[in-house]
C-alpha cells in the first residue's frame, strides 16, 4: 500500500529554519498538502498544491516539491509554530488518500 | 466564513453504533463533498470516507467498508457519519472536513472541531 514518509520529530531554536520532508513514490505526479495540528486542536491547512500558502498563514511558511520529496519550510520558526505537521496526498491511481505519519516540531 | 460544527462527545459500548453530525455553513452545501478523518489517541490522521454534497455518492477506505454509512440532509446542510459494530480501537477523534479538488486530487479545508468517540465496556 502507498505510504508517505515523514521524520517523526525535529527540533529547532526560535529564528532558525525548519525543513520538514515528506517522501512518496507518487509525489512526482500528485500534489502534496501540509496540515498543522496544535495540541488539542483540529488540523489546519498550511500549504496546498505543493507550494500555495493557505489564507491567513504567515509568509514564513512555504512549500516545495521535487521528485519523490515534498518539503515544508518554516523560515524563522516561532515558538507558536510548535505543532504536529502532516503531509497528505493521494496514490498514483487516485484511489487512496494518505496522510504521512506526522512530524512533531519543537521550537525552543 | 466557512464553518463545520460537529456534535458532542460520545461514549459507546463495544458492538454498538455511533452517529456523528457535521453542520456546514458559509458556503453552498451541495457544491462540495464532505470527508471524514479520524485520529486515535496519540496517533496520526486516517482518512475514512467521503460523500458528495450534490448527489450523495460515497466512497470509503477499504478498512471501513461495511461499517461506515455516510448521509447528508441538504435542508439543514448537515452531514452524518455512522460507524457500526464499534470496537475499542475505534476510540478516536472523528473530524469532518470540506473536500476541495485540484485536478484529480481531493484535499481538505476547513475541518470541523472534532468529535471524541470513546468505546469502552
Amino acid at each position: 500500500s502507498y505510504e508517505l514518509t515523514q521524520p517523526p520529530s525535529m527540533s529547532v531554536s526560535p529564528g532558525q529554519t525548519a525543513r520538514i520532508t515528506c517522501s512518496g513514490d507518487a509525489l512526482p505526479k500528485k500534489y502534496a498538502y501540509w496540515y498543522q495540528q496544535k495540541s488539542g486542536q483540529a488540523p489546519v491547512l498550511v500549504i496546498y498544491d505543493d507550494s500555495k500558502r493557505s489564507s491567513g498563514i504567515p509568509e514564513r511558511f512555504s512549500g516545495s516539491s521535487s521528485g519523490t520529496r515534498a518539503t515544508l519550510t518554516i523560515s524563522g520558526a516561532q515558538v507558536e509554530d510548535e505543532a504536529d505537521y502532516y503531509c497528505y496526498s493521494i496514490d498514483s491511481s487516485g484511489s487512496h488518500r494518505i496522510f504521512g505519519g506526522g512530524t512533531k516540531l519543537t521550537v525552543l | 466564513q466557512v464553518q463545520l460544527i460537529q456534535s458532542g462527545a460520545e461514549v459507546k459500548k463495544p458492538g454498538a453504533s455511533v452517529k456523528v453530525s457535521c453542520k456546514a455553513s458559509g458556503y453552498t452545501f451541495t457544491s462540495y463533498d464532505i470527508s471524514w478523518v479520524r485520529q486515535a489517541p496519540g496517533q496520526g490522521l486516517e482518512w475514512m470516507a467521503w460523500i458528495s454534497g450534490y448527489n450523495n455518492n460515497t466512497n470509503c477506505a477499504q478498512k471501513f467498508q461495511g461499517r461506515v454509512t455516510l448521509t447528508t440532509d441538504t435542508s439543514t446542510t448537515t452531514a452524518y457519519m455512522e460507524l457500526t459494530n464499534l470496537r475499542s480501537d475505534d476510540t478516536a477523534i472523528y473530524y469532518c472536513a470540506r473536500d476541495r479538488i485540484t485536478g484529480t486530487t481531493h484535499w481538505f479545508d476547513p475541518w470541523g472541531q472534532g468529535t471524541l468517540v470513546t468505546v469502552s465496556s
Side-chain angles (χ1 to χ4, degrees), chain A residues 3 7-8 11 14 27 32 60-61 72 75 81 100 103-104:
Chain A
E3 292 183 351
S11 179
L27 290 179
R60 61 181 179 273
F61 289 86
L72 172 69
S75 303
D81 299 333
T103 298
K104 183 176 183 62

Side-chain angles (χ1 to χ4, degrees), chain B:
Chain B
Q1 76 281 23
V2 177
Q3 272 193 310
L4 300 173
I5 304 296
Q6 299 183 224
S7 49
E10 304 261 13
V11 179
K12 297 291 183 181
K13 294 192 182 303
S17 300
V18 68
K19 192 170 186 177
V20 179
S21 68
C22 170
K23 178 163 176 62
S25 62
Y27 71 96
T28 302
F29 183 74
T30 52
S31 295
Y32 294 86
D33 302 341
I34 293 282
S35 271
W36 292 86
V37 176
R38 77 176 186 179
Q39 186 172 36
Q43 302 300 309
L45 302 169
E46 179 179 33
W47 177 76
M48 297 176 66
W50 66 260
I51 182 167
S52 166
Y54 174 68
N55 59 14
N56 281 332
N57 282 348
T58 61
N59 188 26
C60 75
Q62 189 169 8
K63 71 178 289 186
F64 299 107
Q65 286 178 2
R67 289 210 299 143
V68 166
T69 302
L70 302 187
T71 55
T72 64
D73 182 343
T74 55
S75 68
T76 60
T77 65
T78 302
Y80 298 91
M81 186 281 298
E82 182 175 27
L83 186 62
T84 60
N85 194 20
L86 290 167
R87 307 185 289 255
S88 58
D89 61 359
D90 290 318
T91 294
I93 297 174
Y94 290 78
Y95 295 100
C96 63
R98 187 179 68 166
D99 251 36
R100 305 287 300 277
I101 301 174
T102 301
T104 58
T105 304
H106 291 249
W107 43 288
F108 319 110
D109 182 53
W111 297 54
Q113 85 276 19
T115 297
L116 175 62
V117 176
T118 303
V119 183
S120 174
S121 54

Side-chain angles (χ1 to χ4, degrees), chain A residues 74-87:
Chain A
I74 309 173
S75 303
Q78 305 296 308
V79 172
E80 59 263 33
D81 299 333
E82 193 163 283
D84 293 325
Y85 290 87
Y86 293 91
C87 65

